[in-house]
Amino acid sequence: QALLSAVESGVYTGVIVNDADRLSRGDSIEQGMVKQAFYSTGTLIITPFKTYDPADESDEDFFDISMFFARFEYRKINRRMQTGRARSAAEGNWIGTRVPIGYIRVERKDRRGYTLAPDPEMAGIIRSVFRWYAYGDEAGNDMSSNAISDRLYAMGVRSQFGNEITPDHVRRILQSTVYIGQT
């Protein structure tokens, strides 16, 4: 966005990129905005293989074609990645980047990938969070996510990063399907 703003302001006479299609892989509207910024200001697009000159009509056609194929390639790659992620999750692999509190990431022995296992140090705490929310405290008083967060703080419980477990963390724990066995 900063680059586009600078191009629109006429700051540059040319921009060096590895490939013109790296300027945008969004939809045709986004690509049109990128093209408009460069072509309305006459800013060159310089790649190792070709320099696109907005004043040259054949360069404009070539640029349009390369952007079309870039968008096509991006959608195809994205579709393959999403299919692979869904298949991996269906096989029981953990595909997330952050491990939910109360779990540890374990390398699978039966195949490539990782799965989740309860963290022995936190499993009881997580069970308590659900019990407190569903049934209240020992005296039978209802416990909100704020009250649960306060209780965890008083107990000295921290996230895997050493941070306080906030009411928002508690709500995410209560809403996550990971805690009912879905990855």
Side-chain angles (χ1 to χ4, degrees), residues 132 135-143 151:
W132 293 331
Y135 304 110
D137 64 11
E138 295 76 16
N141 301 314
D142 286 347
M143 291 189 73
R151 165 91 49 110

Side-chain angles (χ1 to χ4, degrees), residues 6-168:
V7 167
E8 289 169 337
S9 298
V11 173
Y12 304 118
T13 56
V15 173
I16 300 171
V17 293
N18 189 44
D19 202 340
D21 66 24
R22 302 303 287 177
L23 291 169
S24 171
R25 289 213 164 164
D27 61 20
S28 56
I29 293 170
E30 183 181 300
Q31 288 181 342
M33 290 169 32
V34 169
K35 179 182 172 184
Q36 180 65 30
F38 281 86
Y39 280 72
S40 66
T41 59
T43 306
L44 299 174
I45 301 168
I46 305 162
T47 74
F49 307 106
K50 177 164 183 46
T51 297
Y52 296 88
D53 182 354
D56 185 337
E57 196 174 296
S58 63
D59 279 356
E60 183 178 4
D61 292 341
F62 194 75
F63 181 78
D64 288 343
I65 290 168
S66 69
M67 295 301 269
F68 169 80
F69 279 110
R71 193 171 63 252
F72 175 77
E73 177 186 31
Y74 176 75
R75 285 196 320 254
K76 195 168 188 155
I77 289 169
N78 194 26
R79 205 171 307 126
R80 272 194 302 256
M81 285 177 50
Q82 294 306 321
T83 300
R85 287 175 57 83
R87 184 175 50 249
S88 187
E91 291 173 355
N93 290 327
W94 173 248
I95 58 171
T97 53
R98 285 195 167 171
V99 175
I101 189 165
Y103 283 96
I104 55 175
R105 191 175 81 143
V106 179
E107 191 169 358
R108 296 190 69 143
K109 306 253 187 270
D110 58 340
R111 67 181 86 125
R112 212 173 101 188
Y114 293 89
T115 190
L116 296 178
D119 179 348
E121 295 177 22
M122 289 296 292
I125 301 285
I126 297 300
R127 280 193 292 275
S128 293
V129 166
F130 280 93
R131 187 176 60 253
W132 293 331
Y133 190 77
Y135 304 110
D137 64 11
E138 295 76 16
N141 301 314
D142 286 347
M143 291 189 73
S144 66
S145 55
N146 287 24
I148 294 169
S149 173
D150 291 344
R151 165 91 49 110
L152 294 174
Y153 181 79
M155 294 169 59
V157 177
R158 299 288 181 266
S159 74
Q160 57 266 56
F161 303 108
N163 300 324
E164 177 183 344
I165 297 175
T166 65
D168 189 49

